[in-house]
Amino acid sequence: MADYEQPHTKPLDKADEPQFVTEEKLELAAEQPDDDYIDEIYDIIDAVVPRTDDPSLPANTFRVWFLGLLFGAAICAANTIFTFRSNSFSISAFVTVLLAYPCGLFMAKVLPSGFFNPGPFNHKEHALIFVITSCMASPPYANYNIIGQKYQLYQGDLSLAASFGFAIVTQCFGYGFAGLTRRYLVRPAAMLWPSNLATIAMLNSLHGRDDPAATRYPMTRYKFFWLVALAMFFYQLLPSYIMPMLGALSVICWFTNNKSDNKMALVLGSSSYGGGVGFLSFTLDWSLCAVYNPITTPLWAMMNQFLGLWLFLWIVTPILWYTNAFGNDQGIGKSSQYGFAINTPSTYNKNGVKIPNTKFVIRSPDDHNALILNQTFYDENKPILITTYFALEYANSFVVFIAALVHVALWYGKDIWHRFRSAVKDLDKNDVHATLMDAYPEVPDWWYMAVLALTTVLALVVCEIGGFNLPWWGTILAMLLALVSIIPIGIIQAISGQQIGLNVMSEFLIGLLLPGRISAVMAFKTFSYMAMYQGLTLVGDLKLGHYLKVPPRTMFLAQLVSTVLAAFISTGTACGIYESFGKKTVPVSQTYPAGFKWLMQEQADNPASGWSSNSYNTFLSAGAIWGAIAPARFFGPESPYFKTLLGFAVGGFLPPIFWYLHKLQPNSFWHLVNIPLIFIFPAAAGSRRSDLITPLLISVVVNYFIKKYRHAWWKKYAYVMSAAFDSGSGVMLLILFFLTQFNPKYQMPFPVWFMNSGDVERCLPNSVLECMGHETMGNAYGGEYDPTQDPACQ
């Protein structure tokens, strides 16, 4: 076993506590000479990562593939189903760190020695299982493209073969970039990838022999995990089925007693689809909080993010709406139940009437596979409008793109310069972890180049003849955009933990180059965004393997196989779920050009169901805006949304202010002000926005009070508790979905009562709630609601 003297003395009980990197710490490190700078980086790494390795430990084993693919396939399918939820939710791959350990020990005990059982279950196998599951846990971004074209836009001739091919090449496109940039983003010690530290800490604690907290807190992590997961499993039944009101508790609607003549109370108090901004609304539903990862996200990051959410959603949005900042804000959605529309990603015509996205597109007379703008329909309805909420989301995305670059240049510029200077001076040759990894055969560059070449050829074929209508030069341009972005953005993410997304900027670029071609714009967005995003995800996993000394060639194989398999599983699951709901015959029209309607879309028409496919609807609306209408029309000088382009200027102006204030007052709190995090504004228009108080409260309680006053408990159980919450609620959500909503002809809602009304917040008038209840129960259990038999609701 290789063993190196460790010059930095650390208390042993810090080994399983992740050390999050702050801007102030990295800035101080960057201001030091190279040697001191590297020492500061090692202080962070040594707190979690051991400086030892045993090359004789087996990694590429039967246990790894069996458990990794089993857990990965299950989480992949589950998370794909969750993409149809109104509010985002997913089961973290971190769950497998806990579940795989007893399974690995069991297999090591019962399987015969040899191929199936090479010896004791070790941390390298455990890490590889996590990597396989991590590669499979996130559904392909291509699913939004595929579902949008094939089902929501009724492009029925988009074959499953082309869909699978599109998903695979977009997932694997980033492999070549990941491999070719690993010498800059993986091997150097300065490339921390702090998001890996929590996983490494948990693996160390599980495979270590001593538990410093065992005397004070004797319950094992596994017992704690199963008890908490079981409790959350049963609790989730309440907000998701029996008492949905627990998921959205509107303080303002309580005090205004849901009066129909108080529009401002609805604007501020309601948080549901089509409603308002959810001011002071809170939730007791973990599945609505989980998207923020309130337990595993550092408190300073949560505070920045929620400061931005409160500012823009609770203050800026109502002011812009009330003043008609974008022309006709108050006129949008007047015919809806609320009498207005704010919280929705839908598009509207010049009179504020909602427009189905299918009406924007027609088949090109020159190319039957091409979906292009319906110019006649557009001219009759322009200017096309979006809600104040949705417009502000775009404005903030422009701010974030520029602000992130400026922020990183100011705070991490010296750090990045040190990294490149270190590369020139070849300081990595003395890096302990890089030296330990040299004991294993490296993956040849031509392996990654072969993957890149193969996926490029397949991408050209799929996009040209598969129905995605992206010309060959568009595919090459998407690849080049990702190629020039992956190293600078990767360095930013590796050092700071922040990633700058290319989705909006890629839409902007291709929308200018290919105006009016919605399918081409959506395909380009998917390719360019996923090439970089997936590439950096894989690089992050490579860094995890680097820290834990997993053989590089085994890591390459694990990542590639799991990614390809996940594309098949996820795309097949998404298409299968959509088609399993069935369809019904309707008259041929612009909205339903195929002469039928997918019944899954009726879930979208009933957001109270919790399964409104909101992410897919948002992706399609973005496709209509950036693709069919195109940015030159939608954001041009004659557009009411031209002023959102000021976001680019704001993004360049604000970060230097707080950076300069920190220079003037280095001991103040200015270093905690992060403009990109404040403006990142995860708007999630269309989801229930009762999630803006509870997640921060959870974070404060766990990551401040418990961490400060019960530190040993926090260190041992906090991350386990987060995984248990995700697992318990996720399993119950899946059971409820398949039991109560999967069969569209036999819905099984819980009987209507005070805490289970059509509007779960009870913001709408009682008369409206009563009629919504009649409709819900009339369509339940195989029935069909007949409004003519309900005169009070006509």
Side-chain angles (χ1 to χ4, degrees):
M1 176 183 291
D3 198 353
Y4 289 80
E5 183 180 357
Q6 189 167 328
H8 305 289
T9 303
K10 289 282 182 181
L12 290 177
D13 63 347
K14 288 284 184 182
D16 58 351
E17 178 183 347
Q19 303 292 310
F20 294 106
V21 185
T22 65
E23 292 168 346
E24 191 172 34
K25 181 180 289 188
L26 281 175
E27 188 198 21
L28 290 172
E31 291 175 349
Q32 299 172 8
D34 282 341
D35 291 341
D36 292 339
Y37 165 75
I38 294 298
D39 286 344
E40 178 70 20
I41 294 299
Y42 277 126
D43 278 338
I44 298 170
I45 297 173
D46 289 342
V48 179
V49 182
R51 292 187 167 211
T52 60
D53 181 38
D54 182 358
S56 67
L57 289 178
N60 189 12
T61 67
F62 171 78
R63 292 186 297 240
V64 165
W65 291 103
F66 179 80
L67 294 176
L69 295 180
L70 178 65
F71 287 126
I75 293 180
C76 178
N79 285 345
T80 300
I81 295 173
F82 289 140
T83 60
F84 292 98
R85 274 176 51 87
S86 303
N87 283 67
S88 297
F89 178 79
S90 63
I91 298 175
S92 170
F94 188 77
V95 171
T96 59
V97 175
L98 297 164
L99 297 182
Y101 186 61
C103 296
L105 295 178
F106 176 78
M107 294 178 73
K109 184 176 181 179
V110 301
L111 291 180
S113 299
F115 173 78
F116 293 104
N117 187 2
F121 184 61
N122 64 74
H123 70 278
K124 295 187 181 184
E125 291 178 287
H126 205 165
L128 267 176
I129 292 170
F130 171 78
V131 167
I132 291 173
T133 309
S134 178
C135 289
M136 301 179 72
S138 298
Y141 196 62
N143 283 354
Y144 297 105
N145 213 134
I146 295 164
I147 296 298
Q149 285 186 233
K150 185 173 178 64
Y151 300 106
Q152 293 179 309
L153 293 179
Y154 291 89
Q155 189 178 343
D157 54 358
L158 182 65
S159 68
L160 280 177
S163 299
F164 283 125
F166 186 73
I168 291 171
V169 295
T170 53
Q171 286 293 96
C172 296
F173 214 48
Y175 261 97
F177 301 150
L180 297 177
T181 59
R182 68 193 187 278
R183 57 177 49 88
Y184 304 108
L185 299 178
V186 176
R187 284 186 65 87
M191 300 296 101
L192 286 172
W193 292 94
S195 59
N196 283 325
L197 300 181
T199 302
I200 296 171
M202 182 60 71
L203 289 171
N204 287 342
S205 67
L206 293 174
H207 291 271
R209 290 176 295 179
D210 52 337
D211 181 1
T215 302
R216 188 172 183 184
Y217 302 107
M219 184 183 294
T220 65
R221 288 181 174 90
Y222 288 104
K223 186 175 181 180
F224 181 85
F225 173 83
W226 288 111
L227 287 175
V228 174
L230 190 64
M232 180 56 72
F233 171 80
F234 288 109
Y235 174 78
Q236 191 64 46
L237 184 65
L238 298 179
S240 296
Y241 190 58
I242 299 174
M243 304 166 66
M245 191 175 180
L246 292 177
L249 297 162
S250 175
V251 175
I252 288 182
C253 289
W254 293 348
F255 285 101
T256 57
N257 198 25
N258 58 2
K259 295 178 181 178
S260 59
D261 59 346
N262 195 340
K263 180 178 287 189
M264 280 307 299
L266 282 174
V267 168
L268 295 174
S270 61
S271 66
S272 297
Y273 176 89
V277 298
F279 179 63
L280 296 182
S281 295
F282 63 98
T283 181
L284 300 178
D285 184 352
W286 171 259
S287 72
L288 301 187
C289 302
V291 66
Y292 299 101
N293 298 309
I295 295 175
T296 59
T297 300
L299 181 57
W300 70 268
M302 289 287 291
M303 294 181 71
N304 273 277
Q305 188 173 28
F306 276 77
L307 174 64
L309 281 167
W310 293 346
L311 172 64
F312 293 111
L313 195 55
W314 288 354
I315 299 175
V316 177
T317 297
I319 291 175
L320 294 178
W321 177 85
Y322 187 77
T323 58
N324 285 314
F326 298 109
N328 188 30
D329 299 60
Q330 294 191 41
I332 294 175
K334 274 192 172 182
S335 60
S336 70
Q337 293 170 324
Y338 292 96
F340 63 90
I342 294 179
N343 182 18
T344 172
S346 300
T347 50
Y348 298 81
N349 68 9
K350 59 188 175 184
N351 298 317
V353 178
K354 183 177 177 179
I355 303 173
N357 287 312
T358 51
K359 291 189 175 183
F360 283 108
V361 298
I362 56 174
R363 294 295 183 101
S364 171
D366 301 322
D367 182 359
H368 185 67
N369 286 327
L371 298 174
I372 62 173
L373 175 67
N374 184 339
Q375 189 68 49
T376 302
F377 177 81
Y378 173 74
D379 291 337
E380 292 173 350
N381 290 275
K382 68 180 182 181
I384 302 302
L385 305 177
I386 57 177
T387 65
T388 312
Y389 186 176
F390 204 19
L392 187 61
E393 183 178 2
Y394 278 128
N396 279 32
S397 69
F398 302 149
V399 175
V400 168
F401 184 79
I402 300 299
L405 295 176
V406 176
H407 178 89
V408 167
L410 293 172
W411 288 97
Y412 305 115
K414 292 181 179 179
D415 201 20
I416 293 171
W417 169 245
H418 273 276
R419 168 78 299 284
F420 280 109
R421 191 165 63 185
S422 296
V424 172
K425 295 169 65 175
D426 197 24
L427 294 181
D428 294 332
K429 66 182 181 181
N430 296 321
D431 174 56
V432 170
H433 302 288
T435 302
L436 290 171
M437 287 299 291
D438 288 338
Y440 304 96
E442 185 56 87
V443 177
D445 283 345
W446 72 264
W447 286 20
Y448 288 106
M449 294 177 67
V451 172
L452 180 60
L454 179 61
T455 52
T456 301
V457 171
L458 291 176
L460 292 171
V461 173
V462 168
C463 288
E464 282 283 359
I465 67 175
F468 294 95
N469 195 36
L470 183 63
W472 66 267
W473 59 264
T475 306
I476 300 298
L477 181 61
M479 182 179 70
L480 292 176
L481 180 61
L483 182 61
V484 299
S485 304
I486 192 168
I487 289 183
I489 292 179
I491 291 175
I492 292 169
Q493 185 174 353
I495 292 173
S496 67
Q498 302 173 35
Q499 184 183 107
I500 304 172
L502 288 179
N503 48 342
V504 172
M505 298 313 300
S506 63
E507 288 174 312
F508 210 130
L509 174 62
I510 197 63
L512 293 173
L513 297 175
L514 291 174
R517 296 173 61 173
I518 182 172
S519 52
V521 168
M522 292 194 301
F524 181 89
K525 170 186 175 180
T526 301
F527 265 107
S528 58
Y529 175 68
M530 282 308 296
M532 188 203 71
Y533 174 84
Q534 183 74 355
L536 292 181
T537 299
L538 297 170
V539 167
D541 287 340
L542 287 175
K543 187 66 176 186
L544 178 68
H546 183 85
Y547 281 143
L548 296 175
K549 316 304 176 290
V550 177
R553 296 188 178 188
T554 302
M555 178 68 78
F556 174 87
L557 186 63
Q559 287 182 311
L560 186 61
V561 171
S562 58
T563 300
V564 173
L565 183 60
F568 278 106
I569 293 173
S570 184
T571 303
T573 300
C575 294
I577 288 292
Y578 218 96
E579 294 191 9
S580 64
F581 269 71
K583 54 191 176 184
K584 67 179 180 181
T585 303
V586 296
V588 175
S589 64
Q590 273 190 306
T591 306
Y592 304 111
F596 63 83
K597 177 182 181 180
W598 290 107
L599 293 179
M600 186 67 176
Q601 293 180 353
E602 294 190 350
Q603 295 283 329
D605 297 334
N606 177 28
S609 69
W611 296 85
S612 63
S613 306
N614 188 60
S615 297
Y616 293 90
N617 299 334
T618 302
F619 186 92
L620 189 59
S621 291
I625 291 169
W626 298 98
I629 302 172
R633 296 188 186 98
F634 196 83
F635 295 100
E638 303 301 321
S639 166
Y641 305 106
F642 178 65
K643 62 190 71 174
T644 61
L645 299 180
L646 290 172
F648 291 114
V650 173
F653 174 72
L654 285 182
I657 295 177
F658 297 98
W659 177 79
Y660 184 68
L661 288 172
H662 171 67
K663 290 294 183 183
L664 292 177
Q665 298 177 310
N667 295 322
S668 187
F669 61 87
W670 297 116
H671 67 281
L672 297 176
V673 179
N674 188 307
I675 294 300
L677 274 181
I678 292 173
F679 276 80
I680 203 167
F681 187 39
S687 61
R688 183 167 291 132
R689 298 325 309 259
S690 59
D691 57 351
L692 302 182
I693 293 179
T694 310
L696 185 59
L697 289 178
I698 293 172
S699 185
V700 169
V701 170
V702 175
N703 291 324
Y704 180 76
F705 289 104
I706 295 180
K707 183 179 181 181
K708 182 176 182 179
Y709 297 107
R710 294 290 184 271
H711 190 76
W713 189 98
W714 176 88
K715 189 165 58 176
K716 184 171 183 178
Y717 296 126
Y719 283 70
V720 179
M721 182 170 64
S722 178
F725 282 170
D726 286 349
S727 303
S729 58
V731 172
M732 176 55 76
L733 289 171
L734 287 176
I735 291 174
L736 289 175
F737 174 73
F738 284 107
L739 284 182
T740 67
Q741 293 176 300
F742 185 66
N743 185 350
K745 298 179 180 178
Y746 200 84
Q747 300 279 292
M748 299 172 60
F750 194 80
V752 172
W753 67 296
F754 180 79
M755 299 193 73
N756 181 32
S757 58
D759 172 28
V760 299
E761 300 170 296
R762 302 193 68 86
C763 286
L764 294 172
N766 288 330
S767 58
V768 176
L769 296 178
E770 185 175 350
C771 292
M772 291 174 73
H774 292 176
E775 183 177 0
T776 298
M777 298 311 298
N779 289 324
Y781 303 98
E784 185 173 352
Y785 177 68
D786 184 359
T788 62
Q789 302 299 315
D790 194 1
C793 296
Q794 292 184 11

